Amino acid sequence: MSKFRRLGWLNRLALGLLGVLFVVLIGVFPSNSQEAQTLRVGTEPAFPPFEMKAETGELEGFDIDLMNAIGKEAGLKVEFLSLPFDGLIPALQANTIDAAISGMTITAERAQTIAFSRPYFKAGLALAVKEGNQEIKSFDDLKNKRIAVQIGTTGAGEAGKIEGAQVSQFDSAPLALQELANGRVDAVINDAPVTLYAIKQAQLQGIEVVGQLLTEEYFGIALPKNSPNIEKINGAIATLLENGTYNAIYEKWFGTAPPELPLAAPALEGATAQPFDYGKLFSNLLVGALVTLALTACSIFFGMIGGTLVAIALISPYTPLRWLCRAYVEFFRGTPMLVQIFMIYFGLPALLQGLGLNFNFERFPAAVLALSLNSAAYLAEIIRGGIQAVERGQWEASESLGMGSVETMRYVIFPQALRQMLPPLSNEFITLIKDTSLVAVIGFEELFRQGQLVVATTYRAFEVYAAVALVYLVLTSVSATGFRWLESYMNPLRKMSKAKA
Ligand code: ARG
């Protein structure tokens, strides 16, 4: 018998896994010769017409065409990587990508952490409002208004400077525009070409751009500081500007001839370094933690009520009711929470408005609704399992003592069931605390989002996210300890030994 045969199956499995790990690791650390030619370029492809997904799934847009042309000119093989916009600069710092092209404005703050190529596009921010809005005609009318922006953008920076404005930050520009179309904000501050394209090409209805461009900005390709590719890329841009390739790409996407570009962005003059503000980080995370706690508490409250009702229905003798509740549980357990959040926050109002109802959600109730519906499905199964785990004989014994079914449930079954439920309940509780971070996608500023907002302006990804993780850990540890205490408190053996003493 060969040696391999004599190994137990467990050992063989371990050997196999090691092999897979080895192959994966080789893939993760590519050899140097390969690296010299490939340029990993990060982009956030929800920014038409600069970068977007074509129907075929391929990336397309002005930036994509330009980057490919630059690669060809500079002898670099361009490989695109999709990333969130606010993750591009941290990814450059971490050298996960070699460059980023994403309609990114050259700003003095950004230039402190990363390098920029020479300007490749002239742009500016524009103000979008609902068609026929008489109140907002210019930037000065935005005081105390509700404004939607994309997180980490220059638009978000401008919005932050407006007195009394209520700013909602979204992961992508289209989501911010959707928020305006749904009537939940008064204005969107976003790059003019993108907003105009959305109105013209993507048939975003009922929105218009007001006034002049708010700012003059120049887009640049972002690179890590001291990147060896800066010269190559700048050289390639110069060639493309001269030989007409740039003009052709510009005309393809914008239908006009391009404006003159300066050699360096004016914004870079007079850049000053700003120290990292720990006080601000602390206060942001504190606010975030409180919001996360409030969100969890409300969701657990409604989730418990809903879950108990569904659990009772699940063991009831009424078949249609049982099926209905089973379908509910399967749906909310079997689909991603993220999808449910989007469905409820963006989908439901659009659906109801389509039916002619004037319905809109505030962020907090929408978040609580999504989280409660989801956790109620899990809680129902936990509660049902707990109740059914109590022996049948207990029902019979109570009955023989002359107790009714409600009394039996209350004094005999439920106290025993509750003890069984505690460990899975504690799991669900901890999961819910962590899952509240998902509602960041609807611009809700809970703990994770607060951290993300700090990173978007300070680019200190590791420290900030580590601090965020720590706060979550504190919250979950406290709740785990609470449940452990409850478990020992409800232990009948403990009560007995107390009684003896
Ligand atoms: N130009 C703006 C900025 O640099 C927005 C860019 C957003 N780009 C994107 N692909 N989402 O802040």
Side-chain angles (χ1 to χ4, degrees):
M1 214 195 271
S2 78
K3 265 218 176 115
F4 188 70
R5 277 273 198 81
R6 261 186 285 141
L7 288 173
W9 66 269
L10 208 61
N11 287 342
R12 259 182 277 166
L13 186 72
L15 217 67
L17 283 179
L18 263 178
V20 170
L21 194 69
F22 184 67
V23 171
V24 168
L25 281 182
I26 289 181
V28 170
F29 299 111
S31 60
N32 275 336
S33 62
Q34 213 183 337
E35 214 173 16
Q37 289 159 29
T38 319
L39 191 74
R40 296 164 302 171
V41 181
T43 188
E44 192 265 330
F47 208 55
F50 292 96
E51 40 266 330
M52 54 193 163
K53 280 254 157 79
E55 267 153 37
T56 53
E58 304 257 308
L59 289 176
E60 62 171 13
F62 175 83
D63 282 356
I64 306 298
D65 285 351
L66 184 69
M67 197 65 226
N68 280 327
I70 291 172
K72 219 188 213 171
E73 196 55 48
L76 298 161
K77 192 173 162 283
V78 173
E79 189 188 295
F80 286 105
L81 249 96
S82 296
L83 282 171
F85 184 73
D86 60 313
L88 290 172
I89 293 180
L92 286 167
Q93 284 176 293
N95 277 310
T96 334
I97 49 178
D98 308 309
I101 189 162
S102 208
M104 192 186 286
T105 305
I106 304 175
T107 68
E109 296 84 44
R110 289 173 181 162
Q112 275 158 31
T113 19
I114 51 161
F116 279 106
S117 71
R118 57 180 282 173
Y120 72 83
F121 192 90
K122 184 177 177 185
L125 295 175
L127 192 59
V129 295
K130 274 230 157 176
E131 234 162 30
N133 185 324
Q134 297 299 325
E135 248 180 287
I136 303 174
K137 293 269 175 241
S138 76
F139 203 69
D140 301 325
D141 303 329
L142 288 176
K143 277 192 197 119
N144 303 319
K145 290 283 185 299
R146 296 167 304 166
I147 306 168
V149 294
Q150 181 182 11
I151 187 171
T153 59
T154 46
E158 288 301 321
K161 292 182 201 155
I162 300 166
E163 218 181 291
Q166 229 179 301
V167 184
S168 315
Q169 313 221 21
F170 291 87
D171 286 320
S172 76
L175 284 181
L177 289 168
Q178 180 74 56
E179 191 77 350
L180 177 62
N182 279 359
R184 272 189 292 238
V185 291
D186 307 307
V188 165
I189 303 179
N190 185 36
D191 296 58
V194 175
T195 303
L196 290 171
Y197 188 88
I199 292 172
K200 247 194 273 150
Q201 243 66 30
Q203 286 132 21
L204 196 64
Q205 272 155 14
I207 285 181
E208 62 181 349
V209 166
V210 287
Q212 297 290 308
L213 280 196
L214 303 174
T215 53
E216 185 179 285
E217 302 187 359
Y218 290 94
F219 292 170
I221 297 171
L223 300 142
K225 277 241 150 109
N226 308 321
S227 160
N229 298 312
I230 298 181
E231 257 78 78
K232 280 190 224 169
I233 287 177
N234 279 340
I237 294 177
T239 314
L240 297 176
L241 280 168
E242 266 161 37
N243 70 13
T245 314
Y246 178 89
N247 282 29
I249 297 175
Y250 196 100
E251 247 159 65
K252 171 180 168 194
W253 291 101
F254 298 100
T256 55
E260 255 335 285
L261 288 174
L263 253 175
L268 289 186
E269 286 153 23
T272 49
Q274 277 171 7
F276 187 69
D277 188 349
Y278 283 96
K280 187 154 179 287
L281 173 66
F282 184 78
S283 68
N284 276 7
L285 293 192
L286 188 71
V287 170
L290 291 178
V291 173
T292 289
L293 270 182
L295 206 55
T296 311
C298 291
S299 310
I300 277 284
F301 178 75
F302 292 114
M304 265 310 227
I305 296 178
T308 311
L309 294 178
V310 173
I312 292 171
L314 280 174
I315 47 181
S316 81
Y318 311 109
T319 312
L321 184 67
R322 240 178 19 236
W323 282 2
L324 202 71
C325 289
R326 180 59 35 221
Y328 166 80
V329 169
E330 295 310 332
F331 180 80
F332 280 95
R333 220 173 39 167
T335 55
M337 170 103 99
L338 207 52
V339 178
Q340 294 163 18
I341 293 171
F342 271 92
M343 254 176 66
I344 289 174
Y345 189 65
F346 293 107
L348 205 58
L351 180 80
L352 294 179
Q353 282 168 20
L355 294 177
L357 294 164
N358 186 13
F359 177 82
N360 241 329
F361 257 136
E362 282 300 316
R363 235 181 280 282
F364 190 77
V368 169
L369 181 68
L371 290 166
S372 311
L373 282 174
N374 185 279
S375 73
Y378 285 93
L379 290 170
E381 285 296 72
I382 293 172
I383 295 169
R384 181 187 64 80
I387 292 174
Q388 288 183 332
V390 179
E391 255 181 280
R392 260 273 19 113
Q394 302 272 331
W395 286 93
E396 285 153 18
S398 319
E399 208 175 300
S400 71
L401 287 175
M403 290 169 98
S405 63
V406 174
E407 272 181 311
T408 307
M409 194 63 178
R410 173 140 182 231
Y411 295 109
V412 181
I413 307 296
F414 198 70
Q416 299 184 67
L418 188 59
R419 230 167 64 73
Q420 306 255 21
M421 288 177 218
L422 281 178
L425 272 184
S426 148
N427 265 344
E428 177 54 26
F429 209 94
I430 289 172
T431 306
L432 190 67
I433 292 178
K434 294 182 298 174
D435 279 356
T436 53
S437 61
L438 289 172
V439 301
V441 294
I442 57 174
F444 194 75
E445 285 167 19
E446 40 63 70
L447 181 53
F448 167 65
R449 190 57 152 208
Q450 288 285 357
Q452 223 181 347
L453 289 172
V454 177
V455 175
T457 51
T458 61
Y459 314 115
R460 300 281 275 265
F462 189 79
E463 296 100 310
V464 175
Y465 288 129
V468 167
L470 200 69
V471 180
Y472 275 112
L473 195 62
V474 169
L475 295 183
T476 52
S477 306
V478 168
S479 99
T481 311
F483 270 97
R484 240 174 291 135
W485 176 83
L486 249 179
E487 241 179 272
S488 77
Y489 176 78
M490 289 177 61
N491 188 342
L493 290 177
R494 190 196 69 105
K495 286 196 183 146
M496 260 159 62
S497 64
K498 244 198 175 169
K500 258 192 239 155

